[in-house]
Amino acid sequence: MLGKGVVGGGGGTKAPKPSFVSYVRPEEIHTNEKEVTEKEVTLHLLPGEQLLCEASTVLKYVQEDSCQRGIYGKLVCTDFKIAFLGDDESALDNDETQFKNKVIGENDITLHCVDQIYGVFDEKKKPLFGQLKKYPEKLIIHCKDLRVFHFGLRYTKEEEVKRIVSGIIHHTQAPKLLKRLFLFSYASAAQNNTATDPKNHTVMFDTLKDWCWELERTKGNVKYKAVSVNEGYKASDRLPAYFVVPTPLPEEDVRCFQGRGIPIWCWSCHNGCALLKMSALPKEQDDGLLQIQKSFLDGIYKTVHRPPYEIVKTEDLSSNFLSLQDIQTAYSKFKQLFLIDNSTEFWDTDIKWFSLLESSSWLDIIRRCLKKAIEITECLEAQNMNVLLLEENASDLCCLLSSLVQVMMDPHCRTRVGFQSLVQKEWIMGGHCFLDRCNHLRQSDKEEVPVFLLFLDCVWQLAHQHPPAFDFTETYLTVLSDSLYIPIFSTFFFNSPHQKDTNMHQRQLSLPLTQSKSSPKRGFFREETDHLIKNLLGKRISKLINSSDELQDNFREFYESWHSKPTDYHGLLLPHIEGPEIKVWAQRYLRWIPEAQILGGGRVATMSKLLEMMEEVEHLQEKIDERHHSQGALPAEAPSLLRSSARLSSLFPFALLQRHSSKPVLPTSGWKALGDEEDLAKREDEFVDLGDV
Amino acid sequence: MFSPRYPLFPHLFQAPPLFQNCVYSPLRGWASLPPSPESTEVSEEPPLAGLDTPFKRPLIVLRAPQTLLSLVLCPAPLPDFSLLDYKIQPLPKGLEHPQGFPPFTAPSPDGAREMWWGGRGQSFNIAPQKAEPDMGLSGPKSVRRTGTLEPRSCQLGSHLASGCLPGEQILAWAPGVRKGLEPELSGTLICTNLRVSFQPCGWQRSQETPLSSEYDFVLVNIGRLEAVSGLSRVQLLRPGSPLKFIPEEILIHGRDFRLLRVAFEAGGLEPQAFQVTSAIVQARAQSSQAQQYAGISLSKAGQSSGSRKPPIPLLETSEDWETERKKQGARGWRVSTVNERFDVATSLPRYFWVPKRTLDSEVRRAFGHFHQGRGPRLSWHHPGGSDLLRCGGFYTASDPNKEHIRAVESMLQAGHSDVVLVDTVDELPSLTDVQLAHLKLRALCLPDSSAAEEKWLSALEGTRWLDYVRSCLRKASDISVLVTSRVRSVVLQERGDRDFNGLLSSLVQLLSAPEARTLLGFQSLVQREWVAAGHPFLTRLGVTGASEEAPVFLLFLDCVWQLLHQFPAEFEFSEFFLLALHDSARVPDTLTFLRDTPWERGKQSGQFNSYTQICTPGYSQPPAGNSVNLQLSVWDWDLRYSSEQILQFHNPGYDPEHCPDSWLLRQQPSFMVPGPPSSVWLFSRGVLTPLNQLCPWRDSPSLLAVSSRWLPRPAISSESLADQEWGLPSHWGACPLPPGLLLPGYLGPQIRLWRRCYLRGRPEVQKGLSAPTISGLQDELSHLQELLRRWTPRVSPEDHSKKRDPNTILSQSH
């Protein structure tokens, strides 16, 4: 596993300097070298992207250490990505590029995507950071999307090695200032390109109209109102400019505690019950202040509890549920299962695959999230209760659960546009701290928690269990999860709408950005939860809700009765949460492992069949329509069906490794019919960019 | 404990002083029952659980025209406490009164009655329905006991009896509701001496499919029986252990992972529930000794048309073998008739393939030096020229002379210079391992399995079943590379040659030959490599109760499922077909899986009466004409499956592009790398090791005995055999795989649990995954084509005949 070799040989002692530096040029080994030098490989730079350093004759290994095979090429580091320019870049032909990611090539790693960097010194692997005294003969880069790259530097000039290694380390690991993010250079350089697509119907929730529209859609406008009290972020910099609160709530209440302690509307159920969220009041020691807080909450409570509002059930997510620490620990264990340095290691862990998987408890965390979401759904749907989610900042598990509940209850959220609007509403406007959670600025590893990925994984479980209920495929989710680390979209690069607006629109003012102000420390630990709210609201409410045993029974009954009925894909959707039903999102986690590739197999095989059939159905439908309308007219001769004669790999569309053997030949019209899946891979920038760059 | 749900009225009824075999009627008071022999007979029955009195049966059900009156009586020992329970309720729909039942004169209803009977501080509710027409008891004559078997089967409505097979007797039945599956069905649970069957209301057993795959539970298939009462009371029913309470629900866990869960109808029918449950326990206990249901098959065969052809060649005639040999293009081989009288080996088929140049006398001599006479025979001829052979272990105690050794060697070489001996069992589990893993898997997959959800994965790993599946796939994948990469003779050697040799050789063929992946091809593959090759099905599936139970065949089916899952477009058959085959392994309707050797199978079906004198008296009826054709095999799917179900055997995702016709032409010899001129290799633990000699007798002791000792376990190489053979990692893709060859993934995350088979008992698994999508589309497609056809004036008749066949639909171009 991680750092296996390090433990044995590291120990802080200085390993001897590599005694042998090979100056044997690769042309003496590699026969194709002439072609390499002849073909000047060009580096594609995005607008605003700058080349920082480069090194030539770097050997990129095939991910396999027993056979030291690889490709020679140039390793470059820009302010956007690390890229390897191999000598066979030009060998790609059109069929293949059709399925390529437009921004990130096969050998590109964005700086934000780099997870860990290791150097190999005398066969020993050590993590690299800070100033290096000596330079490794091999560089191993672990990416956040779980790719692993091995770069051999043995044949590279020493000064180039120094430059590229320290360059990479510096640009990927040193703490950064927000305004130095590539995002800003790109945004200023590529402003013209970001014309809004009229076809993009994703609701951005950055206007009052959007919120009113959502209220109307869910028929929540009877009891809830959209307010503009936070316009210009005058009241709170954690809240979006516009949001929705219960109608009788006085607007000045929002200003009292910077928007804390205010029940904020997320979504209304068809029976009028609503899902609300609330961030905790600041923790105070002073009795007087506590008194004020108490009377404030009493006032809020009176508003919410009076008819026409349903009984409120409070879910305190900071005390009775997962901690962010749990999620972080689980994911860091889990991802090690897929970050494979060499195949031998993979085979070793393989024997104990299931117990390793289980010990990471990532799947269990997914199960707990799904279960909690079902519990909330049960309250809303079966018990006609309002549910109030309570969290310290209402921006982590609150986002996860409220959006998960909506995916399960609201079929609109299972369309692509609806899902994007949901992400926009709950995560972007909900103030999920993407900047901190993804650790884009490399300022605190402790804050790095993959909450959004956890959400996507939960959605994947749902989509995997009920594929017909979703407008999008797992590939969409995979690509969406990748876009977290592509810094040309502003969507996932801020801690709050306030931060985004101040930085993206008023950059000319060049406000000094103080990180601590815009993202107050979120607690990892349970003792930091707000006891006050628990006491004030929790106790009062506890008598309204059932005891936990009864709760379990209700849950069971609800869960089982739903699953015993035939599924309505356009209605309420519940996941299975039994042990065998929670699975590994194989496409996302296994896609870069060549050993996991099944040539001519996998779901792609069914998928291409499906596409073929869909195409034929469509074609027949057309033909029938034609006949129906004009009985006499002879239809035009139908084009013959395209058949995919090539055997695709199970890792399609992510692995393009089988380029020599078979090329993906798929009817493109079929892809479109399936919901523009290929568009996802191709036109990533259009759909992932939820924010307006 | 009984908790009274109704108010108590203990004052209503006083216990008569000597209350024994009496019946109380509210109108007529107490009536005594005639002493009946049955009641004493069954009085050994245990006390019903929950009553702390030493309560004994008999249970009595009285029938009135519209109602049932059930009485629970206690005989002699407790004089003050005899009538324990009493219920009146309307007859369930679909039940008729037996003919000749004395008619009742129904007195006018006397309103709601509540009867309570108490004693010893206990009270029991007697809760008759309020609006029932009152029933009277016309006297002792009307009391009819229902415990007896003979009258019962006559009493049943004709629709129950009509589904019976010859020789089948209905032992007991009770109305109930099938639960757990969608939809909930009400019907009747019937226990016969052959099977337990749930017959839904209105469902008629069709004459064509006398056995239902859906509603029947063969007695030998019953793995565990549970009776449930209330929420908490569960009794595991073992043979001999008496039923302790009246069950509200019965759970029948099949050894094939199916679950039948029937909730009995409440109110008055408890005695029937009790009876049917006990009957199942008893019948199950008796069935494990009785193993022959072949009578069914023969009589069934008699029913169907006289000159029927088996759906696939059963390989019981030399013609079948010759046809198959030609199909494979094995020119250097011939059909040997040396075992025609089973005197070389009873476990071998009568015919098999040997090298053309080998004489039968040589075959006989050479085979003597192999374990149980199972010498090297051809399994499959690769179109590229390689041959896959299988044989038993060398019989090391024998002392062959030079000529014999030469015969053995030439048979192993089969005309090739390059010979690879494959040590079949290394890295594969032992039979005991397989059995243990299967037991653990079954325990894990029970719906109420104790494994917590968050511990599910490690529990699954703990069964090691998937680990074994993986090692089989890995080995098969390696062997298929060996067969494909060079022209050579690959010999699978296993001591017994009846278990893993069959598994590996079938898997290799599935991986390398598209022909084997068709529906027919797969069936004949199983028939050849398992049935004809003498896999001891009866012993391995545990029908005999022998200790050597090990479901190797089920392990094989799991491997095939993994392939199907990994290559959904490469197989003509569907998961449903595999499930059908999986379930059929325990249905004793045909001889296919009911015998250990071809000899026994042939003996039973009376196939070679002319050769042997052994003829079971039970089957003395001489099969007229072609006796072989009369024999039913498991491949006669219409015995158990309706035509709609058989239609589902086709995989809608099968890509006819990979159809076998073009395959032979496309097969390029360029993948065959020339090997060293003359070499002998041992393939063991993933590595090829050169061998000095083929046979163990000359200088060294037994090859197989030695191999595991002197071969060091190699470091796990990341290079697969395919990489080694073709020089480049196959996954790197620099070298395309030979057409038709599948290399399965066998990494931890790629080996899946066959959920639709093993988790069938769990309700959440009942629904389909992605398969319905494609079959739904299929339906839409055929519907559209149908529409289009209606508009088109010129309709060729072929189109109509083809329309339901998934493959032709796809291949039609428009």
Side-chain angles (χ1 to χ4, degrees), chain A residues 40-41 43 54-58 72-76 83-87:
Chain A
E40 193 48 50
V41 194
L43 172 68
E54 59 181 308
S56 49
T57 55
V58 172
Y72 282 100
K74 202 156 69 167
L75 186 64
V76 298
F84 176 78
L85 308 166
D87 56 0

Side-chain angles (χ1 to χ4, degrees), chain A residues 617-635:
Chain A
V617 166
E618 225 166 63
H619 168 67
L620 286 174
Q621 194 91 59
E622 265 169 37
K623 229 171 162 181
I624 284 172
D625 286 349
E626 260 170 48
R627 295 204 183 217
H628 204 64
H629 291 309
S630 56
Q631 281 286 340
L634 269 172

Side-chain angles (χ1 to χ4, degrees), chain A residues 355 358 563-564 581 596 602, chain B residues 182 458 461 566 750 755 767:
Chain A
S355 38
E358 188 179 278
H563 279 299
S564 64
E581 306 297 326
Chain B
E182 274 307 309
S458 54
E461 184 178 273
Q566 290 187 11
Q750 287 171 326
R755 292 162 68 248
K767 298 200 191 71

Side-chain angles (χ1 to χ4, degrees), chain B residues 324-629:
Chain B
E324 181 65 28
R325 185 190 70 80
K326 279 185 184 149
K327 207 193 274 173
Q328 293 190 5
R331 287 203 195 82
W333 298 81
R334 65 178 181 86
V335 178
S336 165
T337 54
V338 68
N339 196 32
E340 208 152 27
R341 289 163 189 266
F342 294 102
D343 49 353
V344 174
T346 49
S347 69
L348 281 180
R350 299 169 74 193
Y351 309 99
F352 44 79
W353 296 315
V354 294
K356 207 167 201 169
R357 295 200 185 144
T358 319
L359 300 173
D360 270 357
S361 57
E362 284 177 307
V363 172
R364 188 180 289 274
R365 258 181 280 153
F367 274 37
H369 300 296
F370 286 86
H371 185 73
Q372 289 182 341
R374 295 179 69 93
R377 292 138 14 245
L378 175 70
S379 265
W380 179 58
H381 176 77
H382 189 274
S386 290
D387 289 306
L388 182 69
L389 283 76
R390 57 186 282 184
C391 68
F394 294 116
Y395 185 50
T396 45
S398 73
D399 184 20
N401 59 28
K402 268 187 185 170
E403 249 177 80
H404 288 196
I405 290 180
R406 204 174 303 127
V408 169
E409 277 181 348
S410 77
M411 289 193 73
L412 289 173
Q413 276 184 325
H416 297 280
S417 57
D418 196 359
V419 183
V420 180
L421 276 184
V422 179
D423 184 359
T424 296
V425 289
D426 81 330
E427 290 184 296
L428 291 190
S430 72
L431 291 177
T432 339
D433 291 341
V434 174
Q435 170 66 2
L436 195 64
H438 195 253
L439 285 177
K440 280 188 188 165
L441 182 71
R442 228 160 63 195
L444 178 70
C445 292
L446 286 175
D448 56 344
S449 143
S450 54
E453 257 139 37
E454 59 275 6
K455 292 281 166 210
W456 161 261
L457 287 174
S458 54
L460 181 61
E461 184 178 273
T463 66
R464 306 213 60 198
W465 178 260
L466 293 185
D467 208 19
Y468 298 152
V469 168
R470 178 226 304 265
S471 45
C472 290
L473 282 179
R474 192 174 181 174
K475 187 135 195 170
S477 159
D478 279 351
I479 296 171
S480 59
V481 169
L482 284 179
V483 174
T484 323
S485 60
R486 282 161 216 232
V487 180
R488 50 169 50 133
S489 146
V490 178
V491 187
L492 304 179
Q493 195 170 34
E494 182 196 12
R495 197 174 129 83
D497 180 35
R498 293 172 70 181
D499 293 299
F500 288 103
N501 264 2
L503 183 140
L504 284 182
S505 116
S506 333
L507 280 183
V508 168
Q509 294 178 50
L510 280 171
L511 288 175
S512 340
E515 158 71 30
R517 291 174 223 144
T518 63
L519 206 44
L520 278 182
F522 182 71
Q523 297 184 40
S524 48
L525 178 74
V526 173
Q527 181 71 23
R528 185 155 41 87
E529 296 295 339
W530 293 85
V531 182
H535 175 68
F537 280 105
L538 201 59
T539 313
R540 294 289 181 257
L541 293 175
V543 186
T544 52
S547 57
E548 286 182 315
E549 182 179 345
V552 183
F553 184 65
L554 305 184
L555 182 67
F556 165 68
L557 290 183
D558 197 321
C559 293
V560 179
W561 180 81
Q562 306 283 348
L563 295 180
L564 191 62
H565 186 78
Q566 290 187 11
F567 302 96
E570 302 280 345
F571 289 85
E572 194 193 13
F573 51 89
S574 64
E575 178 176 9
F576 188 77
F577 170 76
L578 282 183
L579 269 180
L581 191 54
H582 181 275
D583 294 350
S584 305
R586 301 208 192 266
V587 182
D589 58 337
T590 61
L591 286 175
T592 311
F593 296 141
L594 260 190
R595 293 292 173 266
D596 274 345
T597 61
W599 174 67
E600 287 172 46
R601 202 172 285 120
K603 182 176 77 178
Q604 204 75 79
S605 64
Q607 152 192 177
F608 41 87
N609 288 346
S610 48
Y611 301 106
T612 53
Q613 265 66 54
I614 308 154
C615 185
T616 336
Y619 308 109
S620 55
Q621 188 151 25
N626 196 344
S627 59
V628 177
N629 284 352

Side-chain angles (χ1 to χ4, degrees), chain A residues 423-635:
Chain A
V423 170
Q424 190 67 29
K425 179 174 79 166
E426 292 299 330
W427 294 84
I428 313 302
M429 290 303 153
H432 179 67
C433 304
F434 282 102
L435 198 63
D436 293 351
R437 293 289 171 255
C438 299
N439 201 11
H440 285 317
L441 300 179
R442 309 277 170 186
Q443 285 180 337
S444 165
D445 287 346
K446 259 175 78 181
E447 294 284 323
E448 183 174 353
V449 185
V451 184
F452 188 65
L453 178 65
L454 178 62
F455 164 65
L456 292 183
D457 209 335
C458 291
V459 175
W460 180 85
Q461 305 286 344
L462 270 165
H464 182 72
Q465 291 175 13
H466 310 282
F470 286 83
D471 183 33
F472 46 85
T473 64
E474 62 170 346
T475 310
Y476 170 79
L477 293 172
T478 308
V479 176
L480 188 60
S481 77
D482 286 345
S483 62
L484 245 64
Y485 305 106
I486 302 179
I488 58 174
F489 317 122
S490 61
T491 311
F492 299 130
F493 275 81
F494 291 101
N495 276 337
S496 63
H498 165 251
Q499 194 186 22
K500 180 180 162 186
D501 284 354
T502 40
N503 285 293
M504 293 306 282
H505 293 155
Q506 303 161 21
R507 262 179 70 244
Q508 58 272 33
L509 298 179
S510 65
L511 288 170
L513 289 165
T514 47
Q515 190 55 39
S516 56
K517 203 170 181 181
S518 56
S519 71
K521 275 264 173 273
R522 274 148 304 281
F524 275 113
F525 304 105
R526 287 187 179 166
E527 56 266 29
E528 286 185 39
T529 55
D530 200 314
H531 297 289
L532 187 71
I533 288 206
K534 249 197 304 184
N535 292 344
L536 285 181
L537 286 180
K539 266 184 196 163
R540 200 164 297 169
I541 282 156
S542 65
K543 59 183 177 238
L544 299 170
I545 61 172
N546 306 318
S547 74
S548 66
D549 274 359
E550 273 177 73
L551 204 69
Q552 276 307 310
D553 283 351
N554 282 339
F555 170 79
R556 274 281 135 206
E557 201 190 323
F558 179 68
Y559 178 79
E560 272 164 17
S561 87
W562 188 86
H563 279 299
S564 64
K565 283 180 224 137
T567 311
D568 172 19
Y569 291 123
H570 301 291
L572 176 68
L573 196 71
L574 295 189
H576 292 286
I577 53 167
E578 289 83 3
E581 306 297 326
I582 306 291
K583 299 204 172 150
V584 174
W585 183 0
Q587 190 192 48
R588 184 183 143 82
Y589 302 120
L590 286 173
R591 60 192 155 147
W592 311 117
I593 301 174
E595 283 85 354
Q597 172 160 278
I598 304 168
L599 269 179
R603 297 183 73 177
V604 186
T606 333
M607 195 65 95
S608 57
K609 185 81 196 177
L610 206 63
L611 294 174
E612 226 169 73
M613 282 168 59
M614 282 178 69
E615 199 186 16
E616 191 172 344
V617 166
E618 225 166 63
H619 168 67
L620 286 174
Q621 194 91 59
E622 265 169 37
K623 229 171 162 181
I624 284 172
D625 286 349
E626 260 170 48
R627 295 204 183 217
H628 204 64
H629 291 309
S630 56
Q631 281 286 340
L634 269 172

